[in-house]
Amino acid sequence: MSKTPNRSRKQRAPLDIRSVAARANVSIATVSRTINRVPTVNAKLAKRVWTAIHELGYVPNTQARALGSGRSGMLGLVVSEITNPFFPELIQGFEDVAIENGFEILISSTNYDPKRMEVCIRRLLERKAEGVAIMTFGIEQPLFEQLAERNIPLVFVDAGPDRPGVSLLKVDYGHGIRQGVQHLAALGHRKIGFISGPMRLHSARSRSAAFLHALKECGIAARPEWHVEGDHTLEGGIKAMEKILECASRPSAVMCSNDMTAIGVLHKAFRVGLRVPADLSVIGYDDIQMAKVTIPPLTSIQMSRVDLAKAAVRALKEHIVEGGNPQREYKIDTHLVVRESTAYPPGAMSDLKSS
Amino acid sequence: MSKTPNRSRKQRAPLDIRSVAARANVSIATVSRTINRVPTVNAKLAKRVWTAIHELGYVPNTQARALGSGRSGMLGLVVSEITNPFFPELIQGFEDVAIENGFEILISSTNYDPKRMEVCIRRLLERKAEGVAIMTFGIEQPLFEQLAERNIPLVFVDAGPDRPGVSLLKVDYGHGIRQGVQHLAALGHRKIGFISGPMRLHSARSRSAAFLHALKECGIAARPEWHVEGDHTLEGGIKAMEKILECASRPSAVMCSNDMTAIGVLHKAFRVGLRVPADLSVIGYDDIQMAKVTIPPLTSIQMSRVDLAKAAVRALKEHIVEGGNPQREYKIDTHLVVRESTAYPPGAMSDLKSS
DNA sequence: ATCCACAAAGAAAACGCTTTCTCTTGGAGC
DNA sequence: GCTCCAAGAGAAAGCGTTTTCTTTGTGGAT
């Protein structure tokens, strides 16, 4: 090992704002103002600056910009699991909306792992995110106290710490789920199972509760052995379905807390030779893209990723630019999308089935 | 609108390295050295510094760090489409490996859109990414010249500009695809269709060529009308399958350039009442998680996301830390994973089918 | 005991911008 | 023709680090 420092400053021409200034024969202040479209710069000078910028191929340094201005221009987005298709769809929407509003995004996937989550939060802090959307659907909020304490605008889904500057995206699980249960009830189902998400997730508890509530509304008795906990993954769906199949008396329909679970259920049903929807009706939740092409196409409850993304960015932006700590709530609604994984229960008037 | 500037510096205590220094009664240089684990700091002082850091809840500012050190510590990852499950899986792997190696990642999804791609590149430039992995599988390379010109270490899949500092991940499409074709041939298929990806993608062309080559090796004639171009999406798979179904004579097996396409094919087959694998065998490519649970589970050619991610980060890191411009190549291999979407062609010895 | 080399800590100079402050101009008003 | 003011451009002071350069102190060799 030589003593040479392994870092070589100025490996090439500096290509900074100074070189642009020199070439355009103006001060660096003018270059900065031009780039930031400050209206007071003379049009002629501005043109000269832009020319210089293009000729030199100059690109401003974001880090320096952030440092100088005190604004990072970044919004954090924390999701639970990037490999669950729901989230990439959400990320895409969030990114689009964020960019429209002049922000860039910083994605963090927690994988339901508290350790990873800590790393994520640290990263958001270190990078000075101006606002953070926590779309993990209810994972341990206390971890996010650090962000709240530092007065970073936050948006949670469903529930979050009750603090100024923390807004909420209230998802109306009730509506979609009621529609789902009513749909099943209308078809004649009285034996309806439910596979929840991990019960430590707020959203999973909400969905579960909404299901029970809807069941009662329809005058259908809940059967605890048909109400099993999943984990929002394919494998979780399969395992949960196995549990349900072990019951002496089986439900004629199963509602799932998300589509991945439902796809697992579809798979397990296929494995044991149960035909969907003839022998078993299945309803998913989220309405991911894949739901359109499962076999059979999945009846699912849609929660719009775009709405979620729009509301989140909007909430954050309001906090950031308007200042103040609104602590608002935004409603996100959900509704049933009927496809082909639901039908009359076995035996009941199956000959009436049309189309 | 008041004349008050909408930016308020120092809204709280500064909580910078200076306050830590003051509290620990050392200079800021010592704090910096402590944080960066420079071995020359006295253990006693270091402890004092750490205490101060924790008591204050100090978090260093990444932007300032990057500016001061000239190292951003960020690796760019450009993917084509975040909503295609292959990519989130890849991202996850890449992130894990990158973090292990002390880097953070900056994700950009291009959506096959040149305009977006330009934005992505600009962002990477502005944020001073120290290296970029371009995992778009062959989209227009010229766009990345900007990065290459600035001497940023680059990794491409399959093919990239022939320049110092640009490494390649050579995927051995041939092997997996040959296995796939041989598998079909062994089952007795002689009529094999192929749905490619968008032909402007290098990887799509390679897979297509590899398929044709393997066909020839097996002494099977290629039928142009069974060789149709898809776009690596679900809908693309459905449409491509429709085209194939229009053919007067239909293939008994279809190989797809990726799993999403294959899932589309499965769906279309279901729609028209073709049973897979009894009436039609289907092979996918990528072996995404979902392949395990399609109905039937999809025989697919696996290309390891983890291998890809590891090789990419390794290549980048070698460029960055070792300096020099290696221009290396890394082999990524692929192999067939047999599941249940492939079987004897219809009519041929179907009674021999075991298990 | 004196000097020197060396280790460890502090002072200060970057890093590449933004933004405040200051200065120069040119024109309106008298 | 002179003053005053506003507009536009430049100078310079940060922003929060890292890293070089200095300084200070310590132990060993002479």
Side-chain angles (χ1 to χ4, degrees), chain A residues 136-154:
Chain A
T136 53
F137 293 88
I139 203 72
E140 302 83 337
Q141 306 165 9
L143 283 169
F144 294 99
E145 281 293 330
Q146 281 193 60
L147 291 169
E149 273 167 18
R150 284 179 162 80
N151 269 62
I152 297 174
L154 256 34

Side-chain angles (χ1 to χ4, degrees), chain A residues 116-168:
Chain A
R116 266 186 97 105
M117 203 165 320
E118 225 172 296
V119 177
C120 289
I121 291 165
R122 189 144 226 294
R123 211 166 57 153
L124 294 168
L125 250 23
E126 289 185 347
R127 298 223 172 260
K128 296 267 173 296
E130 295 189 55
V132 180
I134 293 120
M135 312 288 249
T136 53
F137 293 88
I139 203 72
E140 302 83 337
Q141 306 165 9
L143 283 169
F144 294 99
E145 281 293 330
Q146 281 193 60
L147 291 169
E149 273 167 18
R150 284 179 162 80
N151 269 62
I152 297 174
L154 256 34
V155 187
F156 282 83
V157 178
D158 293 339
D162 185 14
R163 265 176 175 279
V166 176
S167 285
L168 254 37

Side-chain angles (χ1 to χ4, degrees), chain B residues 188-195 211 220-228 238-255 265 268-282 344-347:
Chain B
H189 291 275
R190 309 291 298 169
K191 297 154 65 178
I192 307 177
F194 188 82
I195 301 177
F211 170 73
I220 298 175
R223 287 269 290 254
E225 72 266 36
W226 292 342
H227 200 105
V228 348
I238 294 174
K239 286 205 185 104
M241 186 60 188
E242 280 167 1
K243 272 209 186 118
I244 287 179
L245 290 175
E246 285 168 9
C247 296
S249 157
R250 292 176 182 173
S252 63
V254 174
M255 202 151 167
V265 167
K268 186 66 198 176
F270 164 77
R271 273 276 172 265
V272 301
L274 278 173
R275 290 160 306 158
V276 175
D279 302 324
L280 179 76
S281 286
V282 178
Y344 300 100

Side-chain angles (χ1 to χ4, degrees), chain B residues 32-205:
Chain B
S32 172
R33 286 195 268 255
T34 305
I35 291 173
N36 292 294
R37 308 221 131 79
V38 173
T40 63
V41 304
N42 180 298
K44 195 155 188 170
L45 280 198
K47 184 162 288 175
R48 266 204 345 249
V49 171
W50 283 120
T51 317
I53 287 176
H54 292 131
E55 287 174 351
L56 257 33
Y58 165 75
V59 173
N61 178 326
T62 315
Q63 278 118 17
R65 264 219 254 207
L67 195 56
S69 68
R71 321 196 345 75
S72 70
M74 307 208 60
L75 255 30
L77 173 58
V78 182
V79 301
S80 19
E81 214 192 352
I82 200 176
T83 53
N84 174 336
F86 175 79
F87 291 107
E89 295 174 21
L90 179 63
I91 291 172
Q92 176 118 21
F94 193 86
E95 177 161 32
D96 291 346
V97 186
I99 287 177
E100 261 171 41
N101 286 275
F103 289 99
E104 296 204 24
I105 74 170
L106 206 55
I107 301 164
S108 293
S109 171
T110 70
N111 288 44
Y112 300 113
D113 173 2
K115 220 171 269 168
R116 266 186 99 106
M117 203 166 319
E118 224 171 298
V119 177
C120 290
I121 291 165
R122 192 150 221 299
R123 213 168 53 155
L124 293 167
L125 250 23
E126 289 184 349
R127 298 225 172 256
K128 296 266 173 295
E130 295 189 54
V132 180
I134 293 119
M135 312 287 251
T136 53
F137 293 87
I139 203 73
E140 301 83 335
Q141 305 165 7
L143 284 168
F144 294 99
E145 282 293 330
Q146 281 193 63
L147 292 168
E149 274 167 17
R150 283 179 164 79
N151 269 62
I152 298 173
L154 256 34
V155 188
F156 283 82
V157 178
D158 293 339
D162 185 14
R163 264 177 177 280
V166 175
S167 285
L168 254 37
L169 265 33
K170 284 278 189 189
V171 180
D172 182 6
Y173 296 110
H175 186 244
I177 288 184
R178 178 179 304 115
Q179 282 187 312
V181 171
Q182 285 174 349
H183 169 63
L184 290 175
L187 287 168
H189 291 275
R190 309 291 298 169
K191 297 154 65 178
I192 307 177
F194 188 82
I195 301 177
S196 76
M199 291 305 269
R200 75 206 135 81
L201 294 194
H202 195 282
S203 73
R205 289 197 300 273

Side-chain angles (χ1 to χ4, degrees), chain A residues 7 9 11-12 15 56-74 82-83 85 88-89 91-92 95-96 99 104-109 111 116 119 122-123 125-128 146 150-151 234-235 238 260 263-264 266-267 270-271 288-290 292-297 340, chain B residues 7 9 11-12 15 56-74 82-83 85 88-89 91-92 95-96 99 104-109 111 116 119 122-123 125-128 146 150-151 234-235 238 260 263-264 266-267 270-271 288-290 292-297 340:
Chain A
R7 177 165 81 86
R9 294 202 176 193
Q11 39 175 324
R12 296 266 147 191
L15 197 46
L56 257 35
Y58 166 74
V59 174
N61 178 326
T62 315
Q63 278 119 17
R65 268 224 250 208
L67 196 56
S69 68
R71 320 195 345 74
S72 71
M74 306 209 62
I82 200 177
T83 53
E89 294 173 22
I91 291 172
Q92 176 117 23
E95 175 160 32
D96 291 345
I99 286 178
E104 296 203 24
I105 75 172
L106 208 54
I107 303 164
S108 292
S109 172
N111 288 43
R116 266 186 97 105
V119 177
R122 189 144 226 294
R123 211 166 57 153
L125 250 23
E126 289 185 347
R127 298 223 172 260
K128 296 267 173 296
Q146 281 193 60
R150 284 179 162 80
N151 269 62
L234 292 169
E235 292 76 19
I238 294 173
M260 294 301 271
I263 292 174
L266 252 29
H267 178 79
F270 164 77
R271 274 275 172 267
I288 61 177
Q289 282 179 30
M290 195 69 73
K292 287 194 197 73
V293 299
T294 53
I295 294 175
E340 298 157 48
Chain B
R7 176 167 81 85
R9 294 200 176 194
Q11 38 176 324
R12 296 265 148 190
L15 196 46
L56 257 33
Y58 165 75
V59 173
N61 178 326
T62 315
Q63 278 118 17
R65 264 219 254 207
L67 195 56
S69 68
R71 321 196 345 75
S72 70
M74 307 208 60
I82 200 176
T83 53
E89 295 174 21
I91 291 172
Q92 176 118 21
E95 177 161 32
D96 291 346
I99 287 177
E104 296 204 24
I105 74 170
L106 206 55
I107 301 164
S108 293
S109 171
N111 288 44
R116 266 186 99 106
V119 177
R122 192 150 221 299
R123 213 168 53 155
L125 250 23
E126 289 184 349
R127 298 225 172 256
K128 296 266 173 295
Q146 281 193 63
R150 283 179 164 79
N151 269 62
L234 292 169
E235 293 76 18
I238 294 174
M260 294 301 271
I263 292 174
L266 251 32
H267 178 79
F270 164 77
R271 273 276 172 265
I288 60 177
Q289 282 178 29
M290 195 70 72
K292 286 194 198 71
V293 299
T294 54
I295 295 176
E340 299 157 48

